[in-house]
């Protein structure tokens, strides 16, 4: 059966980065279409949404898939549907075209910004054992060292599950922030970590941005 429109399945959350991806997809579709998009709703708006994705992929009506890194990704790979992936926990997903972020550039840009702001004390707050966070941290520390300054790196609690429990991690982060020489320029690995640092500064009565930026 001939279908004039390409049917593209989108599986992505709605954060700022993901909205940028969606805007790029929309621009491309307007130039190269016509495409028909089916976007998976948030899980709380869909009954058995994982099964719905599986059923849709198995229907033979999907020409391509664009995704971050959803659950059941191995099952999606097995379908051999042409796809593009912007991975979250892995650098690349085998079997897909991958959107790869230059994490070295991200960390270096963060360091350059804080150096240009005139800071002399620096720190990095990331997420352990996440490759892109580690790469950003390494690049940030490297550029700060090149400028002749030390850099403090936050080490979250090691106990299983503690990092995910904010009420247990917050005292550790508060203590670390209080220990930093001030004023301090801090780079975080992403916007989620930035929000936690801001919350901890509020708890610690550390003024932002005069003491911590």
């Amino acid at each position: 059966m001939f279908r004039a429109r390409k049917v593209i399945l989108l599986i992505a959350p709605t954060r700022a980065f993901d909205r940028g991806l969606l805007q790029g997809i929309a621009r491309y579709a307007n130039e190269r279409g016509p495409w028909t998009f089916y976007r998976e709703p948030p899980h709380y708006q869909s009954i058995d949404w994982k099964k719905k994705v599986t059923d849709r992929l198995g229907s033979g009506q999907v020409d391509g898939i664009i995704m971050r890194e959803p659950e059941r990704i191995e099952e999606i790979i097995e379908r051999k549907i042409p796809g593009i992936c912007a991975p979250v926990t892995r650098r690349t997903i085998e079997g897909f075209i991958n959107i790869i972020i230059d994490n070295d550039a991200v960390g270096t840009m963060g360091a350059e910004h804080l150096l240009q702001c005139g800071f002399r004390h620096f720190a990095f707050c990331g997420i352990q054992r996440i490759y892109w966070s580690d790469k950003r941290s390494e690049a940030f520390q490297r550029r700060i060292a090149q400028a002749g300054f030390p850099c403090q790196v936050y080490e979250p609690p090691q106990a299983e599950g503690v990092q995910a429990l904010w009420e247990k991690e917050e005292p550790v982060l508060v203590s670390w922030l209080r220990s930093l020489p001030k004023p301090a320029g801090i780079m975080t690995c992403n916007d989620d970590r930035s929000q936690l640092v801001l919350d901890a500064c509020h708890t610690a009565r550390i003024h932002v941005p005069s003491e911590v930026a």
Side-chain angles (χ1 to χ4, degrees):
M1 180 178 66
F2 175 77
R3 286 181 287 118
R5 291 179 177 270
K6 290 286 186 179
V7 178
I8 308 297
L9 177 63
L10 298 175
I11 304 179
T14 56
R15 299 178 44 162
F17 176 78
D18 306 300
R19 290 196 296 271
L21 293 179
L22 294 176
Q23 289 169 355
I25 293 166
R27 284 198 302 269
Y28 185 89
N30 286 333
E31 296 172 0
R32 304 294 183 91
W35 288 4
T36 295
F37 292 103
Y38 177 79
R39 185 171 181 276
E40 283 299 320
H43 66 278
Y44 57 81
Q45 294 181 3
S46 175
I47 299 175
D48 199 5
W49 69 279
K50 296 176 186 177
K51 181 178 185 301
K52 287 180 62 180
V53 171
T54 301
D55 291 346
R56 188 169 294 276
L57 291 174
S59 69
Q61 297 180 355
V62 175
D63 298 292
I65 180 169
I66 303 173
M67 63 183 178
R68 291 304 307 273
E69 191 179 326
E71 296 181 64
R72 293 188 171 185
I73 190 168
E74 301 301 331
E75 183 177 331
I76 293 173
I77 292 172
E78 291 176 1
R79 299 281 182 178
K80 299 186 183 302
I81 297 173
I84 298 172
C85 183
V88 178
T89 65
R90 292 177 271 184
R91 185 173 186 273
T92 59
I93 304 296
E94 187 175 352
F96 284 87
I97 295 172
N98 290 268
I99 300 172
I100 300 173
I101 295 173
D102 189 342
N103 292 295
D104 285 342
V106 173
T108 301
M109 289 174 66
E112 292 285 0
H113 171 70
L114 293 173
L115 286 166
Q116 290 171 10
C117 288
F119 287 98
R120 295 295 181 265
H121 305 295
F122 301 90
F124 187 92
C125 181
I127 303 172
Q128 287 190 325
R129 295 183 297 278
I130 298 293
Y131 83 93
W132 46 265
S133 177
D134 291 341
K135 289 296 183 182
R136 294 174 189 187
S137 176
E138 292 167 6
F140 181 82
Q141 293 178 68
R142 185 165 55 247
R143 179 65 187 93
I144 295 301
Q146 289 171 355
F149 299 104
C151 179
Q152 308 293 323
V153 179
Y154 172 66
E155 295 184 2
Q158 295 298 311
E160 187 69 25
V162 169
Q163 185 169 309
L165 296 174
W166 176 234
E167 64 271 21
K168 292 186 178 181
E169 187 185 5
E170 185 183 29
V172 180
L173 184 53
V174 164
S175 177
W176 178 73
L177 289 168
R178 285 174 172 162
S179 73
L180 296 177
K182 309 293 190 303
I186 301 178
M187 180 176 180
T188 64
C189 63
N190 66 357
D191 48 353
D192 293 328
R193 220 63 177 132
S194 294
Q195 185 60 58
L196 296 181
V197 168
L198 290 172
D199 290 345
C201 284
H202 178 74
T203 299
R205 299 182 183 277
I206 296 173
H207 189 268
V208 178
S210 62
E211 292 183 278
V212 164

